[in-house]
Amino acid sequence: PAFGLFIFTIARDPLRIIILIAGAFFWLVSLLLSSLIWFIAVKASDPQDERLQKGLLIFGVMFSVLLQEAFRFLYYKLLRKAIEGLVALSEDGCSPISIQQMAYVAGVGFGLMSGAFSMINLLADALGPGTVGIHGDSQLYFLTSAFMTMVLIFLHTFWGILFFHGCEHRRWWEIVAVVIMHLTVSGLSFCNPLYVGSLVPSYLLMAAAAAWAYLLSGGSAQNLRRFLLCKC
């Protein structure tokens, strides 16, 4: 369902495709830089010190989150300049795409690239060697990983809307909220293999972020309430 966001809402518009690809590229660069720093830290430390290696892993995850959000901010600045250029080139003085639409497409770009990398790692593990759960571990690894990938794609989409709205209206607490939610979801991954401890809170955060993004995008609180209560 998450990858359907591209097919049904973006694929028919060339400008949206360009914005999505650029957003995916920004996320990829942030991952590359954070991976490089983590790799250097691991190589410069004692590989026999398990406590230190675990600390470096936690540091790597947290640093990666902060770097992703920093690149999201840089991408917002770039798109803001792009809107000014589009307005200058248009005949009617209007941009062909709004900042709200850019926020959505940029969020999908971040999410799809994040999901693609998650699926690549998952498929690499599926090649073996070994069998999932052979030593008494949970056999739901692939299923829960797929659900976690989906929730991250949706979360990046909603975070993009919230983050851009905060930048546009200088509501910095919205940006801080996005960073905190991102750190929380990433930190929950350390609860695995207790998958309930990571999946359930992540989906609750996704529902809250979805409702928040809907309201900031111009949605009605009354319509949201009717939807939650399953009223026509």
Side-chain angles (χ1 to χ4, degrees), residues 100-120:
Q100 291 85 359
Q101 292 172 333
M102 283 186 171
Y104 166 76
V105 177
V108 174
F110 269 62
L112 287 181
M113 184 56 70
S114 173
F117 263 79
S118 297
M119 291 303 297
I120 289 173

Side-chain angles (χ1 to χ4, degrees), residues 195-229:
Y195 297 116
V196 175
S198 59
L199 279 177
V200 173
S202 296
Y203 271 82
L204 291 176
L205 278 175
M206 183 190 72
W212 192 2
Y214 172 76
L215 295 174
L216 291 183
S217 300
S220 166
Q222 181 180 1
N223 289 339
L224 179 61
R225 191 180 305 111
R226 291 172 66 89
F227 169 77
L228 294 175
L229 297 177

Side-chain angles (χ1 to χ4, degrees), residues 1-3 61 65 110-112 114-119 122 140-156 159 181-192 194-206:
F3 287 96
V61 171
V65 168
F110 269 62
L112 287 181
S114 173
F117 263 79
S118 297
M119 291 303 297
L122 187 63
L140 301 177
Y141 169 70
F142 293 113
L143 182 62
T144 53
S145 297
F147 276 103
M148 196 64 189
T149 298
M150 183 177 70
V151 76
L152 279 175
I153 295 175
F154 280 125
L155 277 171
H156 270 293
W159 288 337
M181 282 191 288
H182 199 167
L183 287 170
T184 301
V185 172
S186 298
L188 287 171
S189 62
F190 293 107
C191 294
N192 297 332
L194 182 60
Y195 297 116
V196 175
S198 59
L199 279 177
V200 173
S202 296
Y203 271 82
L204 291 176
L205 278 175
M206 183 190 72

Side-chain angles (χ1 to χ4, degrees), residues 79-99:
L79 291 178
R80 208 68 191 82
K81 292 292 184 182
I83 287 182
E84 296 175 3
L86 291 172
V87 170
L89 293 174
S90 65
E91 297 180 355
D92 56 358
C94 297
S95 173
I97 185 170
S98 66
I99 190 66

Side-chain angles (χ1 to χ4, degrees), residues 44-57:
S45 61
D46 181 9
Q48 304 299 325
D49 191 338
E50 295 184 0
R51 185 175 181 180
L52 176 60
Q53 294 302 316
K54 184 177 180 179
L56 287 176
L57 179 61

Side-chain angles (χ1 to χ4, degrees), residues 150-170:
M150 183 177 70
V151 76
L152 279 175
I153 295 175
F154 280 125
L155 277 171
H156 270 293
T157 303
F158 303 140
W159 288 337
I161 296 172
L162 299 175
F163 195 97
F164 277 43
H165 185 273
C167 292
E168 190 71 8
H169 297 276
R170 297 189 179 278

